[in-house]
């Protein structure tokens, strides 16, 4: 029997929607869970474990507080990637007045979960901004659970690598101060040269938009936008995935990259990022390397389509690249269409990644299925 449920529109009004079984992806449309409610897992990432996909994301609410963490990190499960069951709140925020770093009203963004084969623990990292501080804290945070659906237990937040230079730091970074003054006409160049790397040396490096990647040998990496979002930092995590080793590097200094998403194909590491324009969409970027910790080369905008589509990445921002289980070299680009005026109504843009001349490529498809991901679909 078909049930009728309420889905919130961009204006917060209730519109009756029938729950249904999904058999394809329809990027940009309201994507309902198995109960008929709009999936609430923004800025998310996916873990595949024991035959099931788990989608973790930011639980948004209506109105002016919609982009603050009022509930926590949500979790959904699926075996086919089309139909998702709401598993509830995997990591709840702490109570108001508790003084916790993840107190209700803080900012929790881009949660990613990986599984540690040695400890048998599920480990979640996320970008955290402390309550009442806007985006000044620029911290990363970690939580763990014995089950993929949680509940996760918050461990700590931090700015990583306090008192440590990146492996590719120069002697000048360590010994020649770079001074940046107000209204400095060379501000961007000095930041790229390492001004904020030096500034944050003692207290730890900034960490905002982030993702995780586990390599074939089990090594886990934390990739984050640092230095006031001007430079990406790639860090090796400890064997238990609960902390940082001393091994980290800067890549694309001054490149203004956000929203990193990393995947591996044919022994090469690929990265898709966005530019730096706040909630507004911008042209995606892509890059490749033979080594996670060095040698990254830019490949340009992966989007193929109209000028508007290329300029806006189909009006979305990257959050994760999902390898499709059982389909060799098949990957899904996951992006978000942010709606900052009513964040709960944000939409999901999932598209297949194809390759041309060794470069990842994204093309718009109104509707597509896993078994037709490499075929041309209806063009918008």
């Amino acid at each position: 029997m078909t049930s009728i449920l309420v889905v919130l529109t961009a204006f917060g009004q209730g519109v009756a929607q029938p729950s249904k079984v999904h058999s394809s992806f329809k990027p940009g449309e309201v994507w309902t869970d198995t109960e008929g409610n709009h999936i609430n897992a923004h800025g998310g990432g996916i873990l595949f474990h024991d035959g099931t996909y788990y989608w973790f994301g930011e639980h948004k609410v209506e109105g002016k507080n919609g982009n603050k963490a009022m509930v926590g990190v949500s979790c959904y499960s699926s075996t086919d990637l089309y139909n998702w069951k709401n598993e509830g709140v995997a990591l709840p925020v702490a109570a108001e007045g508790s003084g916790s770093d993840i107190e209700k009203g803080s900012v929790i963004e881009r949660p990613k979960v990986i599984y540690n084969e040695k400890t048998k623990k599920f480990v979640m990292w996320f970008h955290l901004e402390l309550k009442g501080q806007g985006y000044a804290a620029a911290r990363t945070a970690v939580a763990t659970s014995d089950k993929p659906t949680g509940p996760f237990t918050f461990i700590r937040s931090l700015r990583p690598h306090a008192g440590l230079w990146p492996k590719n730091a120069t002697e000048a970074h360590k010994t020649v101060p770079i001074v940046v003054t107000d209204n400095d006409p060379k501000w961007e160049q000095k930041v790229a040269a390492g001004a904020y790397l030096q500034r944050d040396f003692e207290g730890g490096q900034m960490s905002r938009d982030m993702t995780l990647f586990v390599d074939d040998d089990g090594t886990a990496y934390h990739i984050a936008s640092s230095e006031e979002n001007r430079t990406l930092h790639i860090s090796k995590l400890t064997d238990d995935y609960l902390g940082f080793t001393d091994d980290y590097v800067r890549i694309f200094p001054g490149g203004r990259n956000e929203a990193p998403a990393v995947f591996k194909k044919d022994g090469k590491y690929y990265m898709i990022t966005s530019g730096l324009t706040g909630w507004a969409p911008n042209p995606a970027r892509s890059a490749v390397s033979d080594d996670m910790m060095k040698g990254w080369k830019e490949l340009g905008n992966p989007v193929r389509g109209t000028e508007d589509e290329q300029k806006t990445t189909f009006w979305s921002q990257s959050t994760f690249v999902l390898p499709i289980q059982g389909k060799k070299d098949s990957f899904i680009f996951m992006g978000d269409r942010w709606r900052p005026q009513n964040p709960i109504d944000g939409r999901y843009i999932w598209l297949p990644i194809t390759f041309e001349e060794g470069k990842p490529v994204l093309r718009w498809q109104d509707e597509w299925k896993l078994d037709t991901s490499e075929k041309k679909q209806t063009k918008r």
Side-chain angles (χ1 to χ4, degrees):
M1 181 175 67
T2 300
S3 59
I4 302 296
L5 296 151
V6 172
V7 174
L8 292 171
T9 69
F11 303 101
Q13 298 171 335
V15 176
Q17 295 284 336
S19 61
K20 61 182 179 181
V21 175
H22 300 287
S23 59
S24 64
F25 300 109
K26 297 180 180 180
E29 295 192 11
V30 170
W31 194 350
T32 53
D33 63 20
T34 54
E35 297 176 346
N37 298 311
H38 185 18
I39 294 172
N40 197 342
H42 310 270
I46 290 181
L47 168 74
F48 182 78
H49 184 76
D50 285 347
T52 299
Y53 295 93
Y54 295 92
W55 181 357
F56 301 88
E58 307 160 24
H59 188 289
K60 302 290 191 182
V61 300
E62 287 186 86
K64 63 180 182 180
N65 289 322
N67 283 316
K68 295 180 180 178
M70 308 304 288
V71 177
V73 175
S74 53
C75 176
Y76 293 79
S77 66
S78 175
T79 56
D80 64 6
L81 291 176
Y82 302 128
N83 299 282
W84 293 89
K85 176 186 176 184
N86 186 354
E87 298 286 357
V89 179
L91 175 69
V93 295
E96 286 188 275
S98 65
S100 169
D101 286 0
I102 60 168
E103 180 177 340
K104 184 178 181 180
S106 60
V107 174
I108 292 175
E109 294 182 338
R110 299 183 179 275
K112 304 294 184 286
V113 175
I114 52 181
Y115 179 66
N116 191 293
E117 293 284 355
K118 296 177 182 178
T119 65
K120 308 303 180 186
K121 295 283 188 179
F122 297 89
V123 180
M124 176 189 296
W125 285 89
F126 53 93
H127 167 213
L128 176 70
E129 297 293 344
L130 302 177
K131 184 177 181 179
Q133 296 187 22
Y135 276 77
R139 300 173 77 84
T140 189
V142 62
T144 64
S145 174
D146 294 324
K147 300 189 301 180
T149 55
F152 280 76
T153 300
F154 173 69
I155 298 177
R156 66 183 176 279
S157 75
L158 70 155
R159 279 196 175 187
H161 304 304
L164 293 169
W165 294 110
K167 296 299 181 182
N168 58 352
T170 66
E171 192 60 30
H173 285 137
K174 303 175 184 179
T175 59
V176 181
I178 304 173
V179 179
V180 177
T181 58
D182 292 341
N183 302 315
D184 193 328
K186 295 185 178 180
W187 181 84
E188 292 278 2
Q189 298 97 309
K190 290 181 176 180
V191 172
Y196 289 160
L197 175 72
Q198 294 180 345
R199 181 197 67 182
D200 296 332
F201 176 76
E202 293 294 340
Q205 298 299 322
M206 303 179 83
S207 181
R208 290 195 177 123
D209 281 9
M210 54 74 61
T211 194
L212 301 175
F213 175 77
V214 179
D215 210 342
D216 302 330
D217 63 358
T219 302
Y221 297 87
H222 179 283
I223 304 97
S225 186
S226 189
E227 301 177 36
E228 299 290 359
N229 298 356
R230 264 57 187 180
T231 299
L232 289 169
H233 286 189
I234 301 180
S235 308
K236 285 186 181 180
L237 295 179
T238 53
D239 286 346
D240 60 8
Y241 302 168
L242 299 180
F244 287 80
T245 68
D246 295 347
D247 198 355
Y248 81 106
V249 295
R250 305 169 77 220
I251 68 166
F252 303 131
R256 299 166 62 95
N257 285 285
E258 286 190 323
V262 176
F263 63 106
K264 189 175 184 180
K265 178 182 181 295
D266 297 332
K268 294 182 180 292
Y269 302 89
Y270 292 88
M271 184 184 301
I272 294 177
T273 67
S274 79
L276 181 59
T277 54
W279 295 109
N282 56 61
R285 296 96 175 271
S286 62
V288 66
S289 178
D290 293 325
D291 189 316
M292 270 291 288
M293 303 297 281
K294 63 183 178 182
W296 284 94
K297 299 177 182 179
E298 295 178 288
L299 296 176
N301 190 342
V303 174
R304 304 291 183 268
T306 67
E307 184 177 0
D308 279 348
E309 288 171 336
Q310 293 182 58
K311 286 182 176 179
T312 64
T313 314
F314 311 112
W315 298 273
S316 76
Q317 184 183 37
S318 52
T319 184
F320 196 72
V321 170
L322 171 64
I324 304 171
Q325 297 298 315
K327 288 176 65 70
K328 186 178 184 298
D329 296 335
S330 293
F331 305 91
I332 297 176
F333 166 85
M334 294 170 52
D336 290 277
R337 272 188 189 167
W338 302 113
R339 293 191 169 173
Q341 300 306 314
N342 191 35
I344 195 173
D345 193 50
R347 306 296 174 85
Y348 309 107
I349 304 300
W350 287 25
L351 292 168
I353 297 176
T354 57
F355 276 79
E356 295 178 2
E357 299 178 349
K359 299 179 180 180
V361 168
L362 299 173
R363 286 187 170 86
W364 180 259
Q365 299 188 31
D366 290 329
E367 181 176 5
W368 64 282
K369 297 183 178 183
L370 294 174
D371 58 355
T372 60
S373 61
E374 297 182 1
K375 298 177 182 179
K376 186 175 181 180
Q377 300 293 304
T378 304
K379 187 82 170 106
R380 179 167 57 192

